[in-house]
Amino acid sequence: MKTQLSENDVQQMLRIASGATLGFTISKAMDWPNPIFFTLYPILLLGLVAVLNGHIIRQFLAATVFPAMIVLVVYGLFGTHPLLITPLIAATFAFLFWQMSKGTLFLFGAFSLVGLSLQLHFASYSNDGIDIYPLVISNIGAILLALGIAFALHLIFPDRAPRTPPPKVSKDQASIRHEVILCTTVATLSFAVFQTFDLVDSISAQAASILILFPLCWKGATMSGWQRAIGTLIGCNLALLAQLVLLNYSDTLFFASFSLWILVFFISRQHVLNGGGAGTGFGVLTTFGILYGQSLSPQQDIIYSALYRFSSVAVAIAVSLCAIFVVHSLLNQHQSTRHHTFS
């Protein structure tokens, strides 16, 4: 972990804070549905990658089309048939985790998983008044807006010095098989649980069960799970503090947007000092994105949402880690699926 901020780090902090605030403000001012997408995606794009090039843009655009096609075609046709939709979604998860494990299209797999999981969660409540078509259109619009915001902010707050590309990690085929089977199994279990039970308000818990799989292995998931739980706790408490400071002014867009910018900029420091990965700081940032995007409105404050979010996320992480450990242990008993971190 670094102890000093570089000029590039400060520029990235400004991009993350401004991107999240712009997405939130535009979606609220235009009264667009599903503002959680518009607030969260700029955080993902500007927080997980510090540069913007053609390869990243192509992956992000592909992550716009792929989840939309799965939700509209696959879930639209077979969503009411659990015995058909579950293996189809499992195959989709396997494909995406395979892209992540290989590394070259990691961002495509990661962004697609987040978008697909959120849309599948909301689409499962179509009988409760949630229309699938505005949901998909909102997701596509949010990704395109996030790209536009990222372009603009990279021009306004450019890096001051060239960045060193991260080293490539080589894996054997057994490790790739291990990661794909492990993550697909746990993600499918999460999908089945959230499709079966009435958990419409637990979108953050469902997202957490997917995000802790991004390290793709047991050792990484334990650290990711702990960091996400701590990040969620910190994020919820800071959001509660902002709510108490704003009081009756939380329905005023200027004050809500300004408080979001301050919180995201403050926490972005921890995020970039940790190397910009999916650590504690990133957990706090995504907590802000979900709480502000989903829960902050003139008719609803974030106090109940923050308290419920932390408890549901803690349960989701604990259950997911238990499932990860069981599958990890089973896979490591066979040479063909033994992970390289196994000892």
Side-chain angles (χ1 to χ4, degrees), residues 118-161:
L118 293 177
Q119 290 177 80
L120 288 174
H121 179 84
F122 286 126
S124 65
Y125 297 96
S126 57
N127 294 331
D128 297 334
I130 298 178
D131 195 342
I132 191 172
Y133 295 104
L135 177 68
V136 172
I137 293 172
S138 295
N139 186 71
I140 294 174
I143 290 180
L144 295 178
L145 179 63
L147 272 176
I149 289 173
F151 266 119
L153 293 178
H154 273 277
L155 291 175
I156 299 172
F157 305 114
D159 282 342
R160 302 300 187 187

Side-chain angles (χ1 to χ4, degrees), residues 14-24 38-39 42-43 46 149 153:
L14 290 169
R15 292 195 295 265
I16 296 172
S18 301
T21 304
L22 282 172
F24 170 78
F38 296 90
T39 310
I43 294 176
L46 296 167
I149 289 173
L153 293 178

Side-chain angles (χ1 to χ4, degrees), residues 3 25 32 66 104 113 121 125 129 149 195 224 256 275 287 300 304 314:
T3 57
T25 303
W32 288 339
F66 185 79
T104 53
L113 280 167
H121 179 84
Y125 297 96
I149 289 173
Q195 293 287 306
S224 175
T287 297
Q300 179 183 7
Y304 169 77

Side-chain angles (χ1 to χ4, degrees), residues 99-252:
Q99 300 299 328
M100 293 175 66
S101 184
K102 290 193 303 180
T104 53
L105 296 177
F106 181 91
L107 292 176
F108 162 69
F111 287 134
S112 294
L113 280 167
V114 173
L116 180 60
S117 299
L118 293 177
Q119 290 177 80
L120 288 174
H121 179 84
F122 286 126
S124 65
Y125 297 96
S126 57
N127 294 331
D128 297 334
I130 298 178
D131 195 342
I132 191 172
Y133 295 104
L135 177 68
V136 172
I137 293 172
S138 295
N139 186 71
I140 294 174
I143 290 180
L144 295 178
L145 179 63
L147 272 176
I149 289 173
F151 266 119
L153 293 178
H154 273 277
L155 291 175
I156 299 172
F157 305 114
D159 282 342
R160 302 300 187 187
R163 290 182 181 267
T164 304
K168 294 183 178 180
V169 178
S170 59
K171 301 175 185 176
D172 55 28
Q173 289 300 313
S175 293
I176 294 177
R177 282 191 291 268
H178 178 103
E179 293 175 353
V180 172
I181 296 173
L182 169 66
C183 296
T184 300
T185 302
V186 176
T188 304
L189 289 173
S190 172
F191 167 77
V193 168
F194 282 92
Q195 293 287 306
T196 302
F197 298 98
D198 185 6
L199 300 169
V200 65
D201 294 325
S202 300
I203 182 62
S204 53
Q206 201 276 336
S209 67
I210 297 297
L211 290 172
I212 66 169
L213 295 172
F214 279 15
L216 303 175
C217 64
W218 160 246
K219 289 185 177 179
T222 53
M223 180 62 68
S224 175
W226 173 252
Q227 291 175 336
R228 176 147 291 277
I230 296 299
T232 302
L233 177 61
I234 296 172
C236 289
N237 282 314
L238 288 177
L240 286 172
L241 178 62
Q243 179 74 49
L244 292 174
V245 172
L246 292 175
L247 293 177
N248 293 330
Y249 294 98
S250 61
D251 59 343
T252 303

Side-chain angles (χ1 to χ4, degrees), residues 178 327-335 337-339 342:
H178 178 103
V327 179
H328 161 83
S329 301
L330 293 174
L331 291 175
N332 280 327
Q333 293 179 9
H334 305 280
Q335 188 66 36
T337 56
R338 185 166 297 166
H339 200 262
F342 177 75

Side-chain angles (χ1 to χ4, degrees), residues 300-319:
Q300 179 183 7
D301 62 33
I302 59 177
I303 293 179
Y304 169 77
S305 297
L307 296 174
Y308 177 74
R309 171 174 162 74
F310 176 70
S311 60
S312 62
V313 165
V315 173
I317 289 175
V319 174

